[in-house]
Amino acid sequence: MKIKTFRAQNYFEPRNNQRINGLSEMEQQINDFIKSKTVVDIKYQLSASKYKEYYSAMVIYEPEKTCN
């Protein structure tokens, strides 16, 4: 088995009064990555503070078999 990690963060930008969302971009990266993989499991973790949310994901997958 192999592991690939992804990271993102959501945060509030007070100067522009805007919420920046990195989670959807991370989800898209994961979806693109797993298209051709045999996925065993995906684990997510969230940690948060007053202005930021940190996300990480771990994709556990089977390596591609190569023919010699």
Side-chain angles (χ1 to χ4, degrees):
M1 281 187 256
K2 287 188 154 190
I3 296 173
K4 171 85 172 168
T5 58
F6 296 86
R7 298 184 194 289
Q9 69 179 3
N10 292 347
Y11 59 94
F12 181 73
E13 179 62 60
R15 286 179 282 165
N16 301 331
N17 199 27
Q18 183 179 10
R19 183 156 181 80
I20 309 300
N21 185 356
L23 180 61
S24 58
E25 182 179 328
M26 183 180 82
E27 286 290 336
Q28 185 60 52
Q29 291 174 353
I30 291 170
N31 288 335
D32 291 344
F33 177 77
I34 65 175
K35 282 182 182 175
S36 63
K37 306 284 189 268
T38 302
V39 176
V40 175
D41 197 4
I42 300 177
K43 299 192 180 286
Y44 291 92
Q45 181 176 352
L46 163 68
S47 59
S49 66
K50 186 173 182 178
Y51 294 107
K52 294 183 181 180
E53 298 169 340
Y54 299 94
Y55 295 93
S56 60
M58 179 173 61
V59 177
I60 303 167
Y61 65 99
E62 293 292 338
E64 295 179 21
K65 296 190 170 129
T66 56
C67 298
N68 292 334

